[in-house]
Amino acid sequence: MDNKVILITGASDGIGKETAKALAKQGHTIIMHGRNPQKTKSAYEEVKTKSGNNNIEYLVADFLSLAEIKRFADNIKQKYDRLDVLVNNAGAQFTGKRETTAEEHEKTMSINVFAPHLLTILLLPLLKKSPSARVVTVASAAHKMAGKPTLSDIELKNNYSMGKAYGLSKLYVIWIMRHFVSEMAKAGIGNITFNTVHPASATSSLGRESTKSLTTKIIYFLWRPLMKTAAEGATSSIYAATSPDLEGITGKYYGLKGEEKPSDKFYSPQNEQIVWDYSMNIIKPYL
């Protein structure tokens, strides 16, 4: 397999770290992103040691800040002349109380929707230089359980709940990545594919904020024995990132057992466009 330059966001632990470890073992050049400097450095050292691959580096950025994502992308563009695979893995659940970022966006939507949208656009110049580039975005089966979206209130200023925010954020990012396919076609760019994956219910730090209350801690404790390991959850990301079977395949959704069909209950081209336009308006100052 040709050596690929692969960026994995949210790679300091859980599914992201396992993805980095597996792809490093394949011999690729790996860029690991994390939020916490010490934790990210520790994950980097573990991946480097266990893979025996020295072509690994780590970069730190808080993806709850769109401005910091811009600085992060600029750093990548200074260091590398191409990018073959972008794995948008970073994401989070938050609490039962609606919270906003310093840039005044609802936190779940900011990190799960606006962040991967912004980063993908910012890194398109590097992806276009690859002979065959892939964008892999980690969604969730929870997108099927969020209920009907209110597209006039994407950031849930009304009727917020943790489950609704998380599920809808994963629905919206599936739509955004699907929309990238048509945007690339219109631009005449044929070397980049866009697929989404889900890791099933796997152990990770995804709920580091949402499990702070006693109730959610109890629920998580009871559910944990039924969850996949982080390594098992990473298999769909690994497959979508480098499998020869997916060469040239775009606009698909994969789980641990292969291709699946995301819920289209509330999908329409018009709804997809509304979400795309809303997110574009949010990220425009950082492009």
Side-chain angles (χ1 to χ4, degrees):
M1 186 180 293
D2 293 337
N3 180 284
K4 298 179 184 297
V5 179
I6 302 176
L7 167 61
I8 304 155
T9 70
S12 61
D13 64 7
I15 290 166
K17 183 171 75 172
E18 294 299 328
T19 302
K21 198 181 299 179
L23 296 177
K25 286 178 180 177
Q26 291 181 8
H28 303 296
T29 297
I30 306 295
I31 311 161
M32 297 174 63
H33 154 264
R35 179 176 59 95
N36 179 288
Q38 291 75 28
K39 196 173 179 181
T40 309
K41 183 181 180 183
S42 176
Y44 153 80
E45 289 172 347
E46 180 185 337
V47 169
K48 192 173 179 181
T49 299
K50 292 191 174 179
S51 68
N53 184 342
N54 289 321
N55 294 321
I56 303 173
E57 78 160 321
Y58 71 94
L59 298 171
V60 176
D62 184 355
F63 275 21
L64 278 173
S65 166
L66 298 175
E68 198 158 326
I69 292 168
K70 173 71 164 66
R71 290 193 292 272
F72 175 82
D74 287 344
N75 194 5
I76 296 284
K77 285 188 277 191
Q78 287 174 0
K79 287 172 173 279
Y80 294 89
D81 60 3
R82 79 170 202 276
L83 184 64
D84 298 299
V85 183
L86 167 61
V87 181
N88 287 312
N89 172 78
Q93 292 174 334
F94 293 92
T95 66
K97 179 185 177 182
R98 185 181 184 274
E99 300 175 6
T100 56
T101 66
E103 294 156 346
E104 300 186 345
H105 300 298
E106 193 280 315
K107 284 185 174 181
T108 321
M109 296 298 167
S110 190
I111 198 165
N112 292 350
V113 182
F114 308 147
H117 190 183
L118 174 61
L119 184 63
T120 302
I121 290 180
L122 290 174
L123 294 179
L124 281 177
L126 292 188
L127 290 162
K128 286 193 285 188
K129 292 179 181 178
S130 169
S132 180
R134 301 184 186 189
V135 177
V136 178
T137 302
V138 179
S140 169
H143 81 274
K144 300 179 180 181
M145 299 176 276
K148 186 176 181 179
T150 303
L151 297 181
S152 60
D153 185 23
I154 285 173
E155 294 191 58
L156 297 171
K157 293 179 180 178
N158 305 302
N159 301 312
Y160 170 91
S161 73
M162 179 187 73
K164 182 185 288 287
Y166 183 71
L168 287 176
S169 73
K170 293 303 185 178
L171 178 68
Y172 296 155
V173 82
I174 290 171
W175 290 359
I176 279 176
M177 291 302 153
R178 182 183 285 179
H179 196 82
F180 264 111
V181 176
S182 57
E183 289 292 313
M184 294 301 101
K186 283 192 290 186
I189 300 168
N191 70 308
I192 311 172
T193 62
F194 297 83
N195 294 303
T196 51
V197 300
H198 79 82
S201 185
T203 54
S204 71
S205 63
L206 174 70
R208 61 182 176 268
E209 299 292 336
S210 63
T211 53
K212 287 182 177 178
S213 73
L214 179 61
T215 302
T216 52
K217 281 180 180 176
I218 291 170
I219 292 170
Y220 182 76
F221 176 77
L222 294 173
W223 182 250
R224 191 179 177 103
L226 303 175
M227 298 173 80
K228 303 287 187 184
T229 65
E232 290 171 323
T235 56
S236 55
S237 297
I238 297 160
Y239 175 70
T242 58
S243 172
D245 296 343
L246 269 62
E247 189 62 37
I249 303 298
T250 193
K252 303 294 185 180
Y253 174 71
Y254 296 93
L256 303 189
K257 296 181 179 179
E259 186 180 347
E260 298 182 14
K261 186 171 175 56
S263 173
D264 277 344
K265 185 175 182 181
F266 302 111
Y267 175 79
S268 70
Q270 293 79 13
N271 286 351
E272 179 187 284
Q273 188 70 53
I274 289 169
V275 172
W276 174 272
D277 290 344
Y278 184 91
S279 185
M280 280 296 295
N281 189 54
I282 297 297
I283 67 176
K284 188 183 295 183
Y286 307 97
L287 296 175

